[in-house]
Amino acid sequence: DVFIGLHRLQRGERRARGRIEAELEVFSQAAEVSPDGLVILDAEERIAWCNRMAEQHLGLNAARDVGLPVANLVRIPRFAEFLAHSALGEELRYRDGRERALSLEVVRFGTDRKLLISSDVTQIERAETVRRDFVANVSHELRTPLNSIIGFAELLLETAKADAALPDPPPTIAKRLRYVENIHAAAKNLLEMINELLEMAKLESGKIDLSVGKMNVHDVCQGLLGLIWPQAERKGLSLKLEAPEDFPIVETDVKKFQQIIFNLLSNAVKFTDPPAKTGRPTETITLRAEKLTGVTPGGEAREQIRVSVIDTGPGIPKEEQEKIFEKFYQLSGGHTREHSGTGLGLAICKEFAGILQGEIQVVSEPGRGSMFSLIVPVKVDEAEAAVRKLEGKFRGALAGRRNW
């Protein structure tokens, strides 16, 4: 009976082993025909197995490289850092020697094991390049006729206003004024959208450079409030500046700094209701500048400034506060649909803030307004700027705009 029992156990074990081997063979065959490269790494990031596509994508040889550290075999910039610290869903893109665009992703499984996945995204990159070129070219072509429309609309508006000031104005002058104002406002909004599309196309292709100059924060803030004042006055909103005149001189890209703050001010004016609608005596938008002490990526202390735009508008729900910086994203609430826009303004501001080695923070609560803050260093770090410029060029090369 004992021998019969042992024989049955051995036979069952052989059957189980046969099933496992058959399943492994099926898995191996499926992995070999996968369009993606697959590399299984052990706890020490050594290659345990790879398929044929991974050999093509990463220059590996399964017979030779199994058991070797993958970081010593894959010659891709920043690969070792990416392998060690990549988060779920994060990808690393690069071009190989044959001008293929490849994407790498790391998936963790089991006990400290990793699956390295490589994908050929050349066609995706080409399609993205075609889309970007189309948007940029069409936008350029639209700007010329739009500027003509705006120019003629302004001329018609001046003529209509002059006719309205006559002692005996035409009976249809009010309607005429309204029509021309609508044409002028719509054309200006469309031109603003086109400019935002062009700006984003430049950012995505790595064509935005950092031009550093000295800036008086108080004077720049005062000038920006002067620019936004006509829009605020039309809505009955008050503007307030909180910035000491002895603020330190900042070395940054002045134009990009102004673009960010003006965009934040424009949003504050756009989304803050006038006192006539809210029932409150005044609605104030505050522009505040203050000094901070921050930390560099290397852990060293560095001087920073924070410039905040504070409004008393409808506020933003917490779950939406990250999403509003995504491209083409607009809040789902009815309030935002009253205003035209591409949903690119804050996405561009976020990109510009990164170029300035800073960040944008938002503090908001529905019904109590919002505070958008731009935080930048008092002086740009040249080494960090050089790295950022190189990353921009690399991103442009991936988009097919540069060959190097």
Side-chain angles (χ1 to χ4, degrees):
D1 290 344
V2 173
F3 287 110
I4 292 172
L6 288 172
H7 177 70
R8 286 175 178 170
L9 284 173
Q10 287 176 341
R11 189 170 57 185
E13 185 181 342
R14 281 197 298 268
R15 287 175 181 171
R17 187 185 301 117
R19 286 196 300 269
I20 292 171
E21 288 175 352
E23 290 173 1
L24 285 173
E25 181 62 26
V26 170
F27 165 78
S28 180
Q29 291 174 0
E32 286 298 338
V33 297
S34 169
D36 294 333
L38 303 171
V39 184
I40 296 177
L41 305 175
D42 63 18
E44 282 74 40
E45 296 180 349
R46 293 187 299 247
I47 298 174
W49 175 89
C50 67
N51 68 351
R52 192 175 297 113
M53 195 56 70
E55 292 181 325
Q56 293 182 22
H57 287 173
L58 304 173
L60 301 175
N61 184 314
R64 178 195 64 204
D65 297 334
V66 168
L68 298 178
V70 69
N72 295 346
L73 301 170
V74 177
R75 304 298 183 185
I76 298 172
R78 300 186 292 118
F79 174 72
E81 180 185 354
F82 172 77
L83 186 64
H85 303 295
S86 63
L88 182 64
E90 185 180 352
E91 65 174 357
L92 174 65
R93 290 198 177 187
Y94 70 100
R95 285 190 178 272
D96 65 5
R98 290 182 287 176
E99 285 302 304
R100 286 185 306 187
L102 298 172
S103 169
L104 294 181
E105 187 175 351
V106 175
V107 179
R108 291 167 171 79
F109 70 98
T111 306
D112 295 330
R113 283 179 168 261
K114 295 177 182 177
L115 177 65
L116 178 63
I117 305 171
S118 62
S119 306
D120 188 335
V121 292
T122 306
Q123 295 302 321
I124 296 173
E125 291 285 358
R126 285 174 182 165
E128 183 65 17
T129 300
V130 170
R131 179 198 65 79
R132 194 178 296 115
D133 286 342
F134 174 77
V135 170
N137 291 335
V138 170
S139 299
H140 275 297
E141 293 299 322
L142 285 173
R143 286 175 83 178
T144 301
L146 260 179
N147 280 319
S148 297
I149 292 170
I150 290 170
F152 282 117
E154 288 174 348
L155 183 61
L156 289 171
L157 198 57
E158 289 178 9
T159 305
K161 286 179 178 178
D163 289 347
L166 293 172
D168 186 20
T172 60
I173 190 62
K175 186 182 292 186
R176 190 169 125 207
L177 265 172
R178 188 171 69 254
Y179 288 169
V180 175
E181 285 173 348
N182 287 341
I183 292 170
H184 183 257
K188 292 277 281 185
N189 287 337
L190 186 55
L191 184 61
E192 183 181 344
M193 293 181 196
I194 289 170
N195 287 335
E196 287 181 347
L197 287 169
L198 285 171
E199 201 74 61
M200 183 55 70
K202 288 181 183 178
L203 283 164
E204 289 179 339
S205 63
K207 287 187 174 180
I208 301 291
D209 291 323
L210 186 67
S211 179
V212 179
K214 294 186 177 182
M215 180 182 76
N216 184 307
V217 175
H218 179 274
D219 290 352
V220 166
C221 289
Q222 200 168 47
L224 290 170
L225 284 182
L227 286 174
I228 203 69
W229 180 78
Q231 298 177 37
E233 186 191 33
R234 280 196 294 271
K235 292 188 70 173
L237 305 176
S238 301
L239 299 177
K240 181 181 179 183
L241 176 62
E242 295 180 1
E245 295 189 22
D246 61 345
F247 215 77
I249 296 296
V250 174
E251 293 184 24
T252 190
D253 189 315
V254 182
K255 184 178 178 181
K256 291 180 180 59
F257 180 93
Q258 290 175 320
Q259 282 181 265
I260 295 170
I261 300 302
F262 186 80
N263 187 284
L264 298 179
L265 284 169
S266 180
N267 283 346
V269 170
K270 184 189 295 184
F271 294 110
T272 300
D273 289 327
K277 189 173 182 180
T278 64
R280 291 189 287 262
T282 59
E283 297 291 345
T284 302
I285 294 169
T286 303
L287 182 58
R288 178 186 297 161
E290 52 198 330
K291 292 183 281 188
L292 297 175
T293 300
V295 180
T296 66
E300 300 176 0
R302 71 172 171 186
E303 287 186 278
Q304 292 179 318
I305 64 164
R306 176 170 61 198
V307 180
S308 304
V309 175
I310 306 163
D311 65 51
T312 54
I316 304 165
K318 192 169 183 61
E319 62 272 15
E320 304 271 11
Q321 291 176 16
E322 287 293 328
K323 297 178 182 177
I324 58 174
F325 293 99
E326 297 174 6
K327 287 181 285 188
F328 303 109
Y329 185 83
Q330 292 181 312
L331 290 173
S332 56
H335 193 283
T336 59
R337 297 307 179 197
E338 299 174 11
H339 309 281
S340 60
T342 59
L344 282 174
L346 287 176
I348 291 171
C349 287
K350 183 179 178 180
E351 290 283 345
F352 278 175
I355 293 172
L356 299 181
Q357 301 173 11
E359 61 176 327
I360 294 180
Q361 296 179 349
V362 57
V363 177
S364 185
E365 187 178 332
R368 301 190 65 180
S370 305
M371 181 173 77
F372 283 82
S373 301
L374 171 63
I375 300 173
V376 294
V378 170
K379 186 174 182 180
V380 167
D381 186 304
E382 294 183 5
E384 188 178 335
V387 171
R388 181 93 189 186
K389 185 175 181 180
L390 186 62
E391 287 177 351
K393 286 183 177 179
F394 182 69
R395 182 163 58 176
L398 281 179
R401 295 183 175 271
R402 292 180 176 83
N403 296 313
W404 42 285

